[in-house]
Amino acid sequence: MKVEPAVKQETLRIGGGTLLGVIVMLGVFALLGKFSMAVLISGVLGGIVAVLNFFLLGLTVQKAANSQEDQARKWMQFSYNTRMFLMVVWLMVAIAVPALNWVAGLIPLLMPRLTIGVMQITGKYPKDTTSSSQQEKP
């Protein structure tokens, strides 16, 4: 499957925002005197899982757009379940492995959504208006 340019572009945006968020998170850990190699590794791996999750979402949407509605719905549900499983496994590993910090592994998973919110607030990413415009129609 060829990755569409829009998927690449959005993944790069989310990757950049996630990287910035992880850097800020590491700085906060440092200011609190809690920075360690475990925090660094967990933050980086958590960021990779978060961006991978977003990229897989983009691929799923791309594939669903080229499928029939019923097949697209099934594919979206399967992808969602698989991606959530990936994140749960990551968190279980971050909790179970003593060389990792589960908090520093969890926080980066929130960064893609935070990045999208910041981009919407700054006007660099349009808010979804389809649901509100549909509600206004009689």
Side-chain angles (χ1 to χ4, degrees):
M1 169 190 290
K2 183 179 182 214
V3 180
E4 296 290 330
V7 173
K8 290 178 186 176
Q9 179 184 5
E10 293 306 314
T11 301
L12 286 173
R13 284 183 182 184
I14 295 303
T18 300
L19 176 62
L20 181 62
V22 168
I23 290 169
V24 169
M25 178 197 74
L26 295 174
V28 170
F29 269 90
L31 286 173
L32 295 174
K34 301 291 184 180
F35 184 83
S36 66
M37 189 56 74
V39 168
L40 176 64
I41 293 169
S42 300
V44 169
L45 291 176
I48 290 169
V49 170
V51 175
L52 177 63
N53 178 48
F54 186 84
F55 177 70
L56 294 174
L57 171 63
L59 288 180
T60 301
V61 170
Q62 176 183 312
K63 183 172 183 169
N66 297 323
S67 302
Q68 292 183 1
E69 184 177 348
D70 187 49
Q71 185 180 12
R73 187 175 297 115
K74 288 178 184 177
W75 183 248
M76 291 291 290
Q77 186 62 51
F78 174 77
S79 171
Y80 174 80
N81 291 338
T82 303
R83 290 181 297 104
M84 292 304 109
F85 180 73
L86 169 73
M87 289 196 292
V88 168
V89 167
W90 159 242
L91 286 176
M92 288 172 41
V93 168
I95 291 168
V97 175
L100 298 175
N101 181 301
W102 72 270
V103 175
L106 169 68
I107 293 172
L109 299 181
L110 308 173
M111 295 301 169
R113 181 65 206 132
L114 182 63
T115 300
I116 292 169
V118 168
M119 290 170 60
Q120 287 176 337
I121 289 170
T122 60
K124 295 180 181 179
Y125 196 78
K127 290 185 179 180
D128 180 19
T129 58
T130 54
S131 58
S132 62
S133 63
Q134 289 175 353
Q135 291 174 356
E136 294 174 8
K137 292 181 181 179

